[in-house]
Amino acid sequence: MPINLKGRSFLTLKDFTPDEIRYLLNLASDLKSKKRAGIHTRLLEGKNIVLLFEKTSTRTRCAFEVAAMDEGAGVTFLDSKSSQMGKKESMADTAKVLGRFYDGIEYRGYDQAVVEGLAKNAGIPVWNGLTDVDHPTQALADILTLMENTKKPLNKCKLVFCGDTRNNVAYCLMYICCKLGIHYVGWGPKELAPADDVVAYCRKVGEETGAKVEFGEDIALIEGADVLYTDIWASMGEEDKIPERVAQLTPFRVTKEVFEATGNPDCIFEHCLPSFHDFDTTMAKTQKELGYDIREVTDDVFLGPQSRVFDEAENRMHTIKAVIVATIGNV
Ligand code: CP
Ligand code: NVA
């Protein structure tokens, strides 16, 4: 059956079938090749989108803006400081108003219920640009990057997420891996294990797709990985947890030795970014002065030959473009 995602929201990968996810990945790859070849597809001519951010962003905001502008759409950016959103006007009313002006809404914030509420009230597609428990556009970019770096079929690949295995990025990777039959391992401390219902969901999907879903503290779990992945230890809004996270997660920092434990010379390193891999940021520097080394990965891995983090960042744009085009575009 041909895939048609027109009019659909993109709130979580749980809502999409494996074929729909593969369609988005292939569309992203196609749009990427066309952009590289200088072919202007202009698939969003006459459309307008609005980007709502209640948390900060570099990649997601810029990816949505460039993706939309490449295809001929108009873009408005709104944050909580410069709009009525959430303070003087409920999110439901905001959604109803924006739904009259625009063809699609991107939302980044805290509670997944907010992005779901926007989708319920807007009457137009809503795209999740990150919440506390999900980051679905990120996972598409991460798997596109894997596809570009392996000759294996995805259902023969293994992805290991190191560190805070119950954060938004870990969850979206669990969802995409279980849908696509990718062996997923969460290597991190038991205090930061994923919620039981998330694990149960992924294992159930994995029964149909063949995806194995494992967790634990044993470094032996890393063996044979095709992707070693990590993220910062305290996500946006959790900065007060840094001292306890450093104590819990230091054994799970991705170092050269950890990377070598994969035993796979073709294993690549991925990271959603932003990353603490040195002390060149005010946050890493300040925390170091307080006695906390918040680096989740060392420079030899982050800047090493197996790192694909900047290709992955570029792929945020191509995959986000695919999501927008598939749901509101002229395809
Ligand atoms: N990876 C990611 O979502 O980056 P930003 O926070 O910069 O958007
Ligand atoms: N887990 C991180 C991801 C940033 C892209 C956060 O939520 O801050």
Side-chain angles (χ1 to χ4, degrees):
M1 251 217 332
I3 304 290
N4 181 357
L5 302 182
K6 221 38 79 55
R8 293 265 300 272
S9 283
F10 188 75
L11 307 180
T12 172
L13 287 158
K14 288 190 282 182
D15 295 341
F16 290 80
T17 65
D19 280 346
E20 289 171 341
I21 295 170
R22 281 187 281 268
Y23 168 82
L24 287 170
L25 290 166
N26 292 334
L27 179 58
S29 179
D30 184 45
L31 292 168
K32 180 174 180 174
S33 308
K34 290 200 166 111
K35 176 155 171 140
R36 292 260 163 104
I39 299 167
H40 302 288
T41 39
R42 309 295 285 179
L43 295 167
L44 297 170
E45 208 84 70
K47 308 284 179 187
N48 291 293
I49 69 168
V50 61
L51 313 180
L52 310 181
F53 280 82
E54 297 201 290
K55 284 177 178 170
T56 51
S57 168
T58 298
R59 275 145 293 273
T60 309
R61 173 183 176 177
C62 296
F64 268 95
E65 293 206 11
V66 173
M69 291 187 293
D70 269 359
E71 298 299 327
V75 187
T76 305
F77 172 82
L78 282 185
D79 62 17
S80 11
K81 276 197 213 93
S82 58
S83 69
Q84 318 288 17
M85 162 170 75
K87 298 187 305 278
K88 283 178 74 179
E89 190 162 37
S90 71
M91 290 311 270
D93 289 357
T94 305
K96 286 174 190 164
V97 172
L98 297 177
R100 301 292 182 105
F101 291 10
Y102 293 96
D103 299 287
I105 300 175
E106 179 276 354
Y107 174 79
R108 167 173 286 197
Y110 295 86
D111 196 342
Q112 181 77 9
V114 173
V115 77
E116 285 165 8
L118 285 172
K120 221 169 267 157
N121 288 289
I124 54 172
V126 173
W127 310 296
N128 183 352
L130 179 148
T131 63
D132 286 347
V133 294
D134 217 327
H135 195 8
T137 63
Q138 180 69 52
L140 287 179
D142 303 338
I143 299 305
L144 179 63
T145 309
L146 168 60
M147 286 162 66
E148 292 170 342
N149 282 280
T150 185
K151 290 190 179 65
K152 290 190 202 171
L154 288 178
N155 64 0
K156 295 277 180 292
C157 291
K158 173 172 173 177
L159 183 148
V160 179
F161 183 94
C162 310
D164 180 7
T165 64
R166 35 101 278 162
N167 83 4
N168 42 13
V169 173
Y171 280 3
C172 70
L173 287 168
M174 285 174 67
Y175 299 142
I176 202 161
C177 286
C178 74
K179 294 269 179 171
L180 299 180
I182 299 169
H183 181 175
Y184 177 90
V185 172
W187 182 59
K190 52 182 175 313
E191 304 82 55
L192 295 171
D196 290 345
D197 60 326
V198 175
V199 177
Y201 170 84
C202 292
R203 291 214 163 118
K204 191 160 185 293
V205 175
E207 279 169 23
E208 290 157 33
T209 63
K212 212 157 143 190
V213 184
E214 298 181 295
F215 304 93
E217 299 184 344
D218 187 352
I219 194 159
L221 283 164
I222 283 182
E223 203 184 335
D226 297 288
V227 184
L228 219 52
Y229 198 115
T230 194
D231 185 9
I232 53 170
W233 290 347
S235 289
M236 287 178 271
E238 297 184 331
E239 288 75 10
D240 60 322
K241 300 253 179 351
I242 284 175
E244 104 192 45
R245 292 287 166 77
V246 169
Q248 292 166 325
L249 290 166
T250 298
F252 302 93
R253 174 177 292 134
V254 180
T255 60
K256 203 159 177 263
E257 290 68 38
V258 167
F259 205 82
E260 278 163 5
T262 65
N264 176 9
D266 296 325
C267 179
I268 59 168
F269 175 69
E270 290 193 11
H271 192 306
C272 55
L273 308 182
S275 164
F276 296 117
H277 55 94
D278 55 27
F279 298 99
D280 292 345
T281 59
T282 42
M283 194 181 286
K285 215 179 289 168
T286 312
Q287 291 298 332
K288 192 178 179 205
E289 281 158 17
L290 294 169
Y292 304 112
D293 178 349
I294 61 170
R295 290 172 307 155
E296 69 277 358
V297 55
T298 49
D299 262 350
D300 46 11
V301 174
F302 188 87
L303 302 172
Q306 296 308 110
S307 177
R308 297 291 179 274
V309 297
F310 297 110
D311 295 334
E312 184 186 358
E314 178 190 333
N315 282 340
R316 295 298 310 288
M317 200 283 287
H318 303 297
T319 44
I320 281 173
K321 189 186 278 183
V323 170
I324 307 174
V325 162
T327 53
I328 66 164
N330 309 313
V331 281

